[in-house]
């Protein structure tokens, strides 16, 4: 679930058209272009680095689970501290430094491949570094929009950024699958670096950014973190978002660890076919964004969240039953990915609007980081669980078990105040 920028109590609905000045704002265009390029780089790396481990280093289920766990560990270790920093630092500075460092890390990994030094330990270090830097970038860009545009432009601005994220899922995952298969290993590892370099060049051109005023007596970081945690824990809506996100991300991380191996080892699909199947999530996400602009206001935010989460997560239960040739399995996998992307994006955008409505301005970075911490903090353990189940139970049984576990997320929503939300957004508490 993506994090949302804070907004005042009167948050415009997702169906509101973009104000005419949004795309004439040079700073917004720089942010949008940089975020788009960064998302392409991140999505490409997400598929290239695990496939390098599987296809070039012959990683077994336990090793792939370890790789994914190490890559996800920063999501447990860093968000709360980063969120406190972002609330008082220029987001442009944070983003450009993160982009530059990610480009350098991947370029250095490519040099290590040329020198014959990129084994599994070195790949683990690269994945950890890239994901750590992604935490800085992601928390910063989620907080940057509210500092650059007017309040009535927040929703259309977020819609534009979500659209670019969907486009990155379409292109980045498919491109990553192809590059990991057809390029020499050094070029495949470095393939995301140009995207991060483009993002660096674009975001550094942002000229104006309002930074929240620092208090005369700045609170210690641990107290700032505590304030964010306390606010989320004290809000029934945000608390449910965090719990449902944690359940989903834990079992999704486990399922994806088994899923990549299931596609290569049981279904015998090539990297390009895997990229095609995963990339279908992107067009589905675009459709989900369009549905999110209309359905919550007509059917109610609560019913849309529960139904979309149930359908989106439930389609993964179809995958463990697949058998046969690529000609039979690829269309089914594409359909599953498309449905998963559609309903997953519908949930994400709807949750984003709810979070905007209930989060005060001064807590936006910390609330974003707290939800990220709650949602993504357990993913390293999920990846290890996926590797364990794939090795001990077999890939098909492990995938079925982890896909079934994903259904805990919509169940938590259905039993919470989220399910009772109507056709109007909730308001920021006084």
């Amino acid at each position: 679930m993506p994090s949302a920028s804070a907004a005042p109590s009167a948050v415009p609905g997702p169906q509101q058209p973009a104000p005419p000045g949004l795309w004439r704002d040079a700073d917004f265009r720089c942010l949008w272009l940089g975020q788009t390029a960064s998302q392409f780089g991140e999505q490409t790396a997400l598929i290239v680095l695990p496939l390098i481990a599987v296809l070039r280093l012959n990683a077994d289920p336990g090793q792939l689970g370890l790789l994914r766990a190490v890559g996800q560990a920063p999501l447990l270790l860093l968000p709360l501290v980063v969120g406190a920093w972002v609330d008082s630092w220029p987001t442009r500075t944070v983003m450009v430094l993160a982009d530059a460092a990610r480009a350098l890390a991947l370029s250095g990994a490519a040099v290590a491949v040329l020198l014959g030094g990129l084994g599994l330990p070195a790949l683990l270090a690269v994945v950890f570094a890239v994901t750590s830097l992604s935490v800085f970038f992601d928390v910063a860009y989620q907080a940057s929009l509210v500092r650059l545009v007017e309040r009535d432009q927040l929703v259309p601005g977020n819609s534009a950024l979500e659209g670019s994220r969907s486009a990155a899922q379409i292109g980045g995952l498919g491109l990553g699958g192809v590059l990991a298969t057809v390029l020499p290993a050094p070029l495949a590892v470095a393939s995301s670096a140009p995207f991060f370099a483009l993002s660096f060049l674009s975001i550094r051109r942002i000229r104006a950014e309002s930074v929240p005023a620092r208090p005369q007596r700045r609170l210690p970081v641990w107290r700032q973190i505590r304030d964010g945690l306390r606010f989320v824990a004290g809000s029934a809506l945000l608390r449910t978002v965090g719990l449902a996100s944690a359940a989903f991300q834990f079992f999704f991380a486990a399922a994806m660890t088994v899923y990549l191996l299931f596609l290569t080892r049981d279904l015998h699909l090539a990297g390009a076919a895997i990229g095609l199947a995963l990339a279908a999530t992107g067009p589905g996400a675009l459709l989900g964004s369009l549905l999110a602009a209309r359905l919550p206001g007509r059917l109610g935010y609560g019913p849309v969240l529960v139904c979309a989460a149930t359908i989106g997560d439930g389609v993964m239960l179809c995958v463990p039953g697949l058998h046969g040739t690529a000609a039979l399995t690829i269309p089914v996998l594409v359909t599953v990915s498309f449905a998963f992307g559609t309903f997953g994006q519908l949930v994400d955008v709807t949750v984003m609007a709810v979070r905007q409505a209930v989060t005060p301005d001064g807590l936006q970075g910390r609330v974003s980081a707290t939800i990220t911490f709650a949602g993504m903090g357990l993913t390293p353990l999920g990846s290890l669980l996926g590797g364990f189940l794939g090795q001990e139970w077999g890939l098909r049984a492990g995938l079925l078990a982890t896909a079934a576990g994903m259904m805990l997320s919509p169940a938590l929503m259905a039993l919470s105040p989220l399910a009772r939300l109507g056709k109007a957004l909730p308001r920021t508490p006084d």
Side-chain angles (χ1 to χ4, degrees):
M1 298 181 181
S3 298
S5 300
S9 58
V11 179
Q15 69 274 10
Q16 180 175 330
L22 183 63
W23 288 103
R24 291 201 295 266
D25 186 330
D27 286 339
F28 174 76
R29 293 199 305 270
C30 289
L31 173 64
W32 176 82
L33 177 59
Q35 185 261 0
T36 301
S38 183
Q39 289 293 328
F40 265 93
E42 188 171 338
Q43 295 296 331
T44 301
L46 280 176
I47 191 65
V48 165
L49 296 178
L51 283 178
I52 288 291
V54 173
L55 300 175
R56 307 292 175 89
L57 301 180
N58 297 315
D60 60 31
Q63 290 173 326
L64 184 60
L66 176 62
L67 177 69
R68 287 177 55 81
V70 168
Q72 292 155 348
L75 300 172
L76 173 64
L77 302 174
L78 295 178
L80 296 179
V81 175
V82 173
W85 288 342
V86 165
D87 273 339
S88 56
W89 281 81
T91 55
R92 185 190 72 164
T93 301
V94 177
M95 288 186 285
V96 296
L97 290 177
D99 279 330
R102 285 188 289 185
L104 289 174
L106 291 169
S107 299
V111 173
V113 173
L114 286 173
L115 299 177
L118 190 70
L120 186 61
L123 188 60
L124 291 172
V126 172
V127 169
F128 183 85
V130 170
T131 309
S132 297
L133 294 164
S134 294
V135 172
F136 281 88
F137 183 93
D138 290 345
V139 172
Y141 101 76
Q142 290 162 12
S144 65
L145 185 66
V146 73
R147 303 183 187 179
L148 294 178
V149 303
E150 299 297 329
R151 291 297 185 183
D152 60 353
Q153 296 175 322
L154 281 175
V155 170
N158 276 316
S159 297
L161 295 176
E162 282 297 298
S164 68
R165 188 172 72 90
S166 300
Q169 288 179 328
I170 297 172
L173 291 176
L175 179 63
V178 173
L179 295 179
T181 304
V182 303
L183 287 183
L187 294 180
V189 170
S191 59
S192 294
F195 292 109
F196 294 129
L198 175 60
S199 179
F200 168 85
L201 293 173
S202 179
I203 291 175
R204 71 189 296 267
R205 296 181 62 189
I206 294 175
R207 295 167 297 178
E209 178 188 357
S210 62
V211 182
R214 299 186 183 185
Q216 292 182 346
R217 179 177 177 271
R218 189 174 179 183
L219 295 175
V221 170
W222 70 267
R223 288 189 61 183
Q224 297 179 55
I225 292 172
R226 184 196 63 185
D227 290 343
L229 289 168
R230 180 178 293 174
F231 182 79
V232 172
S235 166
L237 294 176
L238 292 178
R239 187 169 63 245
T240 301
V241 168
L243 291 173
S245 180
F248 170 79
Q249 296 293 350
F250 175 78
F251 285 105
F252 180 67
M256 283 301 294
T257 300
V258 187
Y259 186 53
L260 290 175
L261 291 163
F262 178 74
L263 296 182
T264 55
R265 305 279 168 82
D266 277 29
L267 299 185
H268 308 290
L269 298 181
I274 295 172
L276 174 64
L278 295 176
T281 304
L286 289 175
L287 176 59
S289 295
L290 296 175
L291 294 175
R294 299 180 178 273
L295 293 184
R298 294 183 178 182
L299 303 178
Y301 283 82
V304 167
L305 279 172
V306 174
C307 292
T310 300
I311 298 171
D313 295 350
V315 295
M316 290 298 296
L317 291 169
C318 302
V319 178
L322 290 179
H323 294 82
T325 64
L328 296 174
T329 57
I330 290 177
V332 177
L333 291 171
V334 167
T335 302
V336 167
S337 293
F338 182 84
F340 182 79
T342 298
F343 292 102
Q345 183 78 332
L346 178 55
V347 171
D348 287 351
V349 176
T350 305
V351 164
M352 180 174 63
V354 172
R355 289 174 59 186
Q356 284 179 324
V358 300
T359 303
D361 289 352
L363 285 169
Q364 61 162 342
R366 279 165 285 177
V367 167
S368 168
T370 299
I371 297 295
T372 298
F373 173 79
M376 304 298 291
L378 293 178
T379 54
L381 297 178
S383 293
L384 291 174
L385 174 66
F388 173 81
L389 293 179
Q391 195 151 347
E392 298 297 324
W393 292 11
L395 298 178
R396 198 174 297 273
L399 184 56
L400 178 62
T402 53
M406 290 168 59
M407 299 302 295
L408 178 60
S409 179
L412 288 170
M413 292 184 188
L415 297 173
S416 78
L418 277 176
R420 298 191 292 273
L421 290 177
K423 298 178 182 180
L425 283 167
R427 292 182 174 272
T428 305
D430 295 330

